[in-house]
């Protein structure tokens, strides 16, 4: 049944174009979020592997 | 202000030690087999005179050992060390950790046994037969469950970028492995692919390319994001870049597979898609490289003295080179020259030896002294390893580039009469034999460096005391309270399950868009009415061809270039492969293409060629396959094979498997045997050689039959 439906789809080329649009929109959103994101949060994330002592979310979320 | 209550816990270094040791042991095995295979390319007698160690069978053993055993164990070692520390929690389940470890080693061991025996599906980097495929899926899920369990009981709110890479690798490899391994079993060690011809090729290279992407690249980027900052003792250059780089990479990578199938019978729209996304891949790949290298800004003086950083710098540079070269190779004009040549072999070894190998060595040199609470035994020896390894890469890759360009240009050269300048394929192979010698020498250098590392690490362990349990303490994670201004990614990062689902969706979009239409839309594969299923004897011969890994040296895909149609005959059409399970287009030509070999030579030529290739082709580097003449086939599995293929839609008549199939097989075998007798060759009808000759003589002949109209299924409808 499903196979028959998909077999009858024409202009299959439109699917890559749709997904290209999904891709562009997703990355515009992602870029926008990254540029606006909190500096303290970025600093905290950057330092995660470096931290030898104990720590958790306190370091950047406690203000 | 009161301090939060600290919970005490410990990290499990024992599992890291075991995975690290397995990395080293399998690495040496993989490299040794690689050197043996490389030697056979200029000295066929180096097959040690038996079928089990001949190139066709040990080449997949080499690739599997290096990819899944060496790199696979290094991934596990790296993840089992870094993940608990990044999350401030011991791995969720020690039992799962050990299931992961022993399960993975057993899988590798089964590969070491089955591949030389010729038990193979022949699909590149997915050669293992179905029971082992199932075991891989189970062990991989154990690994994933352990990671997700650790994430759930973590003490660090947010997931550092390395963990995103680990998670994306886990889900994507699971999806790729399951879909590419869909096959119908004939017996315990034999199966037929669920896909045929063009569809099989697309699924295989969707998998094959993404095995490179999600097994050799994304887990290693995760490792880079942890171990490079640790070794340089400074945070990653740009965390913002790492976020964009992560999402862009996993989204785009999954689309690039079709660039392995340019100029083949794959539908053009899929080829174009593969090229476009391959070019786009430069951006996120270089994002990762730049992020890694710039982490060292202001610390280059350390690189001069610290072997760990030296290895990592070359690793990241090799990653940058390979990911620039990859998109370059996917340009159709470049691909027309490079495909089927040693250029591709050089390309993957820049990645394998440089990126994976050197990052692994850097990581091991960093881990060992820490786990044994001591210093590295000898910086000098580590430096010697570094230079031997670097020279090894150069000695490996540079001759391969020369060989590739030389051979490809010779294939394409025409003389002033408009004929091929080198009509004999063998001439082009013999021209590059010295390059093959240099390549093997490069491999020996690289292995020598690794052996020095083993000595150094063993000495290091002798100097220190192993810390099996490393204690730590951290406050328990409190329930998250949504804060004002927190949205999207910020929130996702503390929701591991949701994050994993998101990454899965990102990779599924690309996969589904390419795969579903190609599999389901019939018009993608125009049918040719004269193309018929293989006869029972040809089918058996095809399986002998598969068993011996002939696809490792011979392609069955003539591209629509004048130089190829002149050399081999009519170019290959999609409709010719509808009964090919699995497809056998190949990816490297060490010998000529065989798609139109059917009817080109008499049966006796094939007999003598397999008995001793040099009697028919003086100077040939192909090994003798003399055992095919004495080895008999009982054909007991034939009915099961026919029934399996019928289930997959191959139109053998009803009840064919139960009697007529064996009669047809005997009749065809007797005809071939009688023909050989006329040429004074005595051979048993049930010998492997007879079945192989039947298959070779069938190749590419269907479209030569009279009245062979080409029509697409959609038009017929």
């Amino acid at each position: 049944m499903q196979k028959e439906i998909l077999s009858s789809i024409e202009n299959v080329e439109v699917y890559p174009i749709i997904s290209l649009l999904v891709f562009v929109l997703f990355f515009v959103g992602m870029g926008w979020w990254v540029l606006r994101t909190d500096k303290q949060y970025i600093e905290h994330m950057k330092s995660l592997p470096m931290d030898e002592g104990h720590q958790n979310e306190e370091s950047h979320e406690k203000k | 202000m009161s301090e939060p209550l600290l919970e005490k816990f410990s990290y499990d270094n024992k599992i890291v030690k075991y995975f690290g040791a397995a990395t080293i042991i399998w690495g040496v095995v993989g490299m040794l087999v690689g050197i043996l295979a490389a030697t056979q390319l200029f000295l066929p007698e180096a097959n040690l005179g038996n079928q089990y160690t001949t190139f066709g069978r040990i080449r997949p053993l080499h690739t599997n050992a290096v990819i899944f055993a060496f790199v696979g164990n290094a991934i596990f070692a790296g993840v089992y060390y870094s993940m608990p520390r990044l999350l401030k929690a011991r791995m969720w389940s020690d039992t799962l950790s050990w299931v992961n470890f022993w399960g993975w080693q057993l899988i590798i061991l089964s590969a070491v046994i089955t591949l030389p025996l010729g038990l193979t599906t022949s699909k590149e980097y997915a050669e293992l037969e179905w029971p082992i495929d199932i075991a891989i899926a189970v062990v991989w899920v154990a690994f994933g469950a352990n990671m997700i369990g650790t994430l759930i009981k973590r003490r660090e709110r947010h997931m550092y970028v390395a963990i995103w890479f680990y998670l994306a690798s886990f889900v994507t490899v699971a999806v790729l492995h399951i879909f590419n391994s869909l096959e119908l079993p004939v017996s315990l060690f034999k199966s037929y692919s669920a896909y045929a011809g063009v569809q099989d090729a697309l699924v295989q290279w969707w998998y094959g390319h993404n095995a490179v992407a999600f097994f050799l690249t994304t887990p290693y980027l995760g490792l880079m994001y942890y171990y490079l900052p640790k070794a340089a003792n400074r945070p990653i250059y740009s965390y913002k870049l790492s976020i964009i780089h992560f999402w862009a990479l996993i989204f785009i990578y999954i689309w690039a597979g079709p660039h392995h199938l340019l100029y083949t019978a794959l539908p053009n729209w899929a080829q174009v898609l593969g090229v476009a996304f391959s070019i786009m891949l430069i951006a996120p790949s270089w994002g990762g490289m730049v992020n890694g290298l710039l982490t060292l800004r202001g610390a280059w003086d350390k690189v001069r003295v610290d072997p760990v950083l030296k290895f990592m710098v070359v690793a990241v540079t090799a990653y940058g080179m390979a990911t620039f070269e990859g998109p370059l190779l996917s340009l159709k004009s470049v691909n027309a020259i490079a495909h089927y040549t040693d250029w591709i072999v050089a390309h993957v070894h820049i990645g394998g030896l440089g990126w994976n190998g050197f990052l692994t060595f850097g990581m091991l040199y960093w881990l060992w002294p820490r786990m044994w609470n001591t210093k590295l035994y000898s910086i000098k020896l580590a430096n010697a390893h570094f230079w031997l390894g670097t020279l090894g890469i150069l000695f490996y890759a540079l001759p391969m580039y020369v060989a590739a360009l030389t051979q490809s240009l010779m294939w394409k050269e025409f003389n002033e009469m408009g004929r091929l300048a080198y009509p004999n394929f063998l001439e082009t192979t013999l021209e590059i034999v010295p390059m093959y010698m240099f390549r093997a020498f490069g491999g020996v250098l690289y292995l020598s460096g690794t052996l020095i590392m083993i000595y150094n690490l063993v000495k290091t362990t002798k100097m220190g005391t192993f810390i099996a349990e490393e204690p730590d303490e951290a406050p328990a994670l409190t329930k998250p309270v949504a804060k004002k201004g927190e949205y999207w990614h910020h929130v996702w990062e503390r929701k591991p399950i949701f994050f994993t689902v998101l990454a899965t969706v990102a990779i599924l979009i690309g996969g589904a868009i390419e795969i579903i239409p190609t599999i389901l839309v019939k018009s993608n594969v125009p049918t040719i009415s004269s193309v018929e299923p293989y006869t029972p004897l040809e089918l058996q011969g095809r399986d002998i061809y598969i068993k011996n890994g002939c696809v490792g040296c011979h392609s069955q895909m003539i591209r629509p270039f004048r130089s190829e149609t002149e050399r081999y005959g009519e170019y290959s059409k999609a409709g010719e492969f509808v009964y090919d399970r699995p497809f056998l287009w190949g990816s490297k030509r060490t010998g000529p293409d065989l798609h139109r070999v059917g009817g080109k030579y008499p049966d006796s030529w094939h007999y003598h060629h397999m008995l001793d290739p040099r009697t028919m082709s003086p100077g040939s580097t192909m090994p003798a396959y003399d055992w095919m003449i004495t080895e008999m086939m009982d054909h007991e599995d034939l009915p099961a094979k026919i029934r399996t293929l019928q289930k997959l839609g191959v139109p053998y008549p009803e009840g064919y498997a139960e009697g007529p199939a064996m009669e047809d097989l005997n009749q065809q075998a007797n005809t071939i045997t009688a023909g050989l007798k006329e040429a004074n060759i005595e051979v048993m009808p049930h010998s492997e050689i007879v079945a192989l000759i039947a298959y070779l003589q069938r190749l590419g002949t269907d479209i030569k039959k009279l009245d062979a109209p080409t029509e697409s299924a959609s038009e017929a409808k």
Side-chain angles (χ1 to χ4, degrees):
Chain A
M1 170 67 182
Q2 204 175 12
K3 186 168 175 173
E4 284 309 306
I5 293 168
L6 275 160
S7 297
S8 62
I9 290 177
E10 285 182 8
N11 299 325
V12 73
E13 294 86 344
V14 79
Y15 288 84
I17 295 167
I18 291 169
S19 46
L20 188 67
L21 279 175
V22 171
F23 165 78
V24 170
L25 288 174
F26 179 82
F27 284 102
V28 168
M30 174 60 63
W32 183 70
W33 177 80
V34 166
L35 288 175
R36 295 193 58 223
T37 200
D38 175 28
K39 199 165 179 246
Q40 264 185 304
Y41 156 76
I42 292 290
E43 285 304 314
H44 168 71
M45 296 302 280
K46 266 177 98 160
S47 66
L48 270 179
M50 312 313 303
D51 183 57
E52 295 292 344
H54 63 83
Q55 62 152 48
N56 69 359
E57 77 284 4
E58 301 296 320
S59 51
H60 87 278
E61 290 180 351
K62 201 189 239 179
K63 293 178 188 172
Chain B
M1 198 174 87
S2 63
E3 279 292 311
L5 188 65
L6 295 180
E7 290 182 348
K8 291 186 188 304
F9 58 95
S10 65
Y11 301 119
D12 178 9
N13 279 346
K14 194 177 167 195
I15 190 79
V16 182
K17 176 176 86 170
Y18 271 63
F19 273 122
T23 304
I24 295 166
I25 293 165
W26 291 122
V28 170
V29 172
M31 288 172 212
L32 271 174
V33 179
I35 291 170
L36 181 63
T39 307
Q40 289 182 22
L41 288 174
F42 61 84
L43 186 72
E45 291 77 13
N47 69 351
L48 310 178
N50 72 81
Q51 55 186 304
Y52 308 107
T53 43
T54 295
F55 185 85
R57 299 201 194 174
I58 63 163
R59 191 260 179 188
L61 181 63
H62 164 63
T63 53
N64 275 272
V66 170
I67 298 172
F68 300 109
F70 174 59
V71 171
N73 276 306
I75 293 169
F76 295 133
V79 171
Y80 279 101
Y81 184 89
S82 62
M83 195 170 190
R85 285 161 175 84
L86 285 168
L87 296 174
K88 295 284 163 203
R90 189 187 178 89
M91 287 303 288
W92 178 48
S93 159
D94 283 5
T95 310
L96 280 182
S97 300
W98 290 106
V99 165
N100 186 175
F101 178 78
W102 288 112
W104 201 251
Q105 311 317 315
L106 282 175
I107 287 163
I108 295 163
L109 199 62
S110 56
V112 171
I113 295 167
T114 56
L115 292 174
L117 288 175
L119 304 171
T120 172
T121 64
S122 96
K123 294 176 86 168
E124 220 165 332
Y125 319 131
E127 288 91 350
L128 302 175
E129 267 297 355
W130 68 273
I132 309 174
D133 280 342
I134 292 172
I136 293 171
V138 171
V139 174
W140 192 252
V141 168
F143 167 58
N146 210 2
M147 284 205 294
I148 291 172
T150 314
L151 279 162
I152 289 168
K153 61 159 217 172
R154 72 198 186 280
R155 293 185 181 83
E156 164 59 46
R157 174 79 70 213
H158 291 280
M159 294 186 287
Y160 179 67
V161 65
I163 291 166
W164 312 358
F165 278 104
Y166 300 158
L167 282 177
S169 305
F170 161 65
V171 290
T172 315
V173 168
V175 169
L176 292 165
H177 172 71
I178 290 167
F179 278 95
N180 189 48
S181 302
L182 289 178
E183 52 217 358
L184 214 53
V186 173
S187 61
L188 187 60
F189 292 113
K190 176 72 192 167
S191 62
Y192 285 119
S193 174
Y195 318 98
V198 177
Q199 292 161 349
D200 196 45
L202 182 65
V203 175
Q204 157 60 25
W205 283 113
W206 170 74
Y207 162 89
H209 183 75
N210 289 303
V212 175
F214 289 91
F215 205 87
L216 300 176
T217 306
T218 52
Y220 265 63
L221 284 169
L223 298 181
M224 179 192 85
Y225 275 118
Y226 180 79
Y227 291 96
L228 185 61
K230 290 296 273 187
N233 198 26
R234 54 184 55 225
I236 196 74
Y237 168 66
S238 167
Y239 197 78
K240 290 184 178 184
L241 178 58
S242 69
I243 297 172
I244 297 177
H245 149 57
F246 168 79
W247 285 107
L249 196 79
I250 68 160
F251 196 100
I252 297 175
Y253 236 134
I254 204 89
W255 297 73
H259 71 212
H260 288 256
L261 299 166
L262 301 180
Y263 292 111
T264 67
L266 185 76
N268 199 46
W269 67 266
Q271 293 190 32
V272 171
L273 207 64
V275 174
F277 277 85
S278 301
I279 304 297
M280 284 159 67
L281 254 178
I282 293 182
S285 303
W286 275 47
M289 178 195 68
V290 165
N291 221 357
L293 288 180
L294 286 183
T295 301
L296 297 166
R297 75 202 182 288
W300 285 96
D301 53 318
K302 281 190 193 170
V303 179
R304 226 162 31 86
V305 290
D306 183 0
V308 172
L309 284 177
K310 278 185 195 173
F311 275 107
M312 288 187 177
V313 166
V314 170
V316 176
T317 310
Y319 173 64
M321 283 165 64
T323 53
F324 178 73
E325 192 183 33
L328 191 77
L329 285 167
S330 73
L331 292 171
K332 282 188 100 169
S333 50
V334 180
N335 192 272
I337 299 168
H339 193 51
Y340 291 133
T341 73
D342 289 299
W343 194 337
I344 311 301
V345 183
H347 171 63
V348 297
H349 280 84
I350 294 284
L353 300 170
W355 166 236
N356 297 114
F358 269 38
L359 199 78
T360 303
F361 300 145
M363 185 177 83
L364 292 173
Y365 278 122
W366 187 86
L367 279 174
W368 244 238
R370 273 160 190 79
M371 292 201 299
W372 270 268
N373 196 25
T374 182
K375 281 191 164 22
L376 188 65
Y377 168 69
S378 167
I379 300 277
K380 265 190 180 173
L381 283 180
N383 280 329
H385 174 197
F386 172 79
W387 285 111
L388 276 174
T390 307
L391 279 174
I393 296 173
L394 292 176
F395 265 97
Y396 187 102
L398 296 178
M400 288 296 91
Y401 289 117
V402 175
L405 285 169
T406 306
Q407 193 173 33
S408 182
L409 294 176
M410 286 175 83
W411 288 347
K412 289 172 186 298
E413 194 170 330
F414 284 87
N415 61 24
E416 63 278 5
M417 303 291 286
R419 300 256 170 85
L420 284 171
Y422 304 97
N424 183 1
F425 185 93
L426 186 56
E427 270 183 283
T428 72
T429 307
L430 294 178
E431 191 69 25
I432 59 174
V433 161
M435 298 298 128
Y436 284 170
M437 293 174 178
F438 278 120
R439 180 253 290 269
F441 176 64
V444 171
L445 286 180
Y446 194 87
L447 174 64
S448 313
T450 310
L451 295 177
I452 291 176
M453 177 189 75
I454 294 173
Y455 175 74
N456 205 354
L457 293 185
V458 169
K459 282 296 217 183
T460 304
T461 60
K462 297 258 165 72
M463 280 164 49
T465 313
F466 182 62
I467 311 165
E469 297 286 333
E470 199 176 314
D472 198 1
E473 50 185 24
L477 200 62
T478 48
K479 204 172 183 312
V481 181
K483 293 188 173 60
K484 204 182 165 191
E486 259 196 344
Y487 50 99
W488 289 21
H489 211 275
H490 209 139
V491 181
W492 304 344
E493 276 168 40
R494 56 182 194 225
K495 297 183 179 218
I497 307 281
F498 180 69
F499 192 93
T500 309
V501 171
L502 258 172
T504 313
V505 170
I507 61 112
L508 283 180
I509 291 173
I513 291 287
E514 270 176 19
I515 301 289
I516 293 173
T518 310
I519 291 178
L520 299 181
V521 179
K522 290 175 186 166
S523 62
N524 276 314
V525 184
T527 55
I528 300 171
S529 60
S530 62
V531 172
E532 290 175 4
Y534 292 105
T535 66
L537 188 64
E538 290 159 5
L539 191 65
Q540 294 291 56
R542 192 170 199 272
D543 286 341
I544 293 291
Y545 186 94
I546 289 169
K547 179 181 169 185
N548 288 287
C550 306
V551 71
C553 289
H554 297 279
S555 58
Q556 289 185 22
M557 172 50 61
I558 302 165
R559 296 174 294 178
F561 301 142
R562 183 178 154 225
S563 58
E564 297 209 359
T565 52
E566 192 86 3
R567 185 183 298 278
Y568 303 116
E570 182 67 16
Y571 70 88
S572 308
K573 319 280 193 302
E576 293 184 80
F577 301 101
V578 291
Y579 301 119
D580 279 15
R581 290 172 194 270
F583 83 113
L584 291 173
W585 295 0
S587 53
K588 164 82 200 328
R589 284 178 185 153
T590 306
D593 187 278
L594 297 180
H595 192 210
R596 301 272 175 241
V597 80
K600 194 173 175 183
Y601 307 107
D603 290 354
S604 57
W605 187 95
H606 288 293
Y607 174 88
H608 289 300
H609 188 245
M610 300 307 286
L611 180 64
D612 181 4
R614 277 156 289 284
T615 57
M616 309 314 286
S617 313
S620 170
T621 55
M622 181 172 142
Y625 284 82
D626 47 342
W627 58 81
M628 283 188 188
I629 289 155
T630 48
E631 206 132 300
M632 295 297 137
M633 302 180 78
D634 56 23
H635 297 303
E636 264 180 17
D637 54 358
L638 182 69
K641 283 182 178 176
I642 300 273
R643 277 194 292 271
T644 308
L645 288 171
Q646 281 173 323
K647 279 182 206 156
L648 288 166
V650 179
Y652 289 113
E654 212 173 309
Y656 188 62
E658 280 69 39
M662 193 55 87
E663 284 168 28
D664 285 356
L665 182 145
N666 284 329
Q667 196 182 4
Q668 192 176 8
N670 289 334
T671 309
I672 293 172
T673 315
L676 286 172
K677 200 168 186 178
E678 282 174 26
N680 294 322
I681 296 167
E682 288 284 348
V683 66
M684 300 295 285
H686 282 196
S687 59
E688 287 190 348
I689 188 84
V690 171
L692 185 76
I693 289 174
Y695 173 62
L696 292 174
Q697 293 292 29
R698 170 71 184 275
L699 277 177
T701 54
D702 281 13
I703 61 161
K704 293 176 186 165
K705 291 174 194 163
L706 288 175
D707 305 321
T710 304
E711 57 184 21
S712 81
S714 59
E715 283 164 8
K717 279 173 95 180

